[in-house]
Structures are given as structure tokens and as C-alpha cells.
Amino acid sequence: MPTYVTLLNWTDQGVRNYKDTAKRAEAFAAAAQKLGAKLLNIYWTVGPYDLVAVVEAPDEETATATLLQLGGVGNVRTTSLRAFGQEEMDRIVAKAAG
């Protein structure tokens, strides 16, 4: 299943409600699962991003729906990156090499 690395920043609302961040992560995992995606891991970070989430989804539409739903709650803004594992990258390189 395709993997997405999502960089998250708290909104003003999210910072005000920082005490609920672990519960919000659990709620996100449950919501993702209902949409057919899976939260593989979430990390709270120090630096330009407040959190990093690793999500698997069967396709870009599911990934986008999952992250739109997350953003719609109002606690975070997201930047998502499609990530490729080694096997996927091997196939990509083989195609490119012809």
C-alpha cells in the first residue's frame, strides 16, 4: 500500500488544546481506518514541524480524504509527501533505466 509522510503544524486551536494531543492522535487513527487508511506511526517533534505522521492508504484519493478530514477538525495543517520503499524504488529505477 502506498505510504505518505505527513508533516503537521498545530493551529492556534491545536496549541490551545495541546493536552488532548494523544487523544486526538487516537481519534485520527480510528478515522483513518474507517476511510480505509492506516496510521502507521505518529511522532511529536521539535523544530519546524510539531508532528510527523506516517500513513498508508490504498490510493491518493483515500490519503487525501483522510488528511482533509484531519485538517477539517481544525487542530493541524498538513503537508504530505508520497514516500517510496526500497522495493518500489527498485521498480521505478528499473523502469527509468529501460
Side-chain angles (χ1 to χ4, degrees), residues 15 17 21 43 48 54 70 82 84:
V15 171
N17 299 315
T21 188
Y43 303 94
V54 181
L70 172 64
R82 171 64 166 94
F84 298 93

Side-chain angles (χ1 to χ4, degrees), residues 7-22:
L7 309 172
L8 301 102
N9 279 314
W10 282 336
T11 60
D12 290 342
Q13 173 183 309
V15 171
R16 278 194 303 275
N17 299 315
Y18 71 91
K19 291 179 184 178
D20 297 332
T21 188

Side-chain angles (χ1 to χ4, degrees), residues 1-5 60 80-85 88:
M1 215 178 326
T3 302
Y4 300 85
V5 175
E60 289 182 0
S80 298
L81 309 163
R82 171 64 166 94
F84 298 93
E88 291 172 301

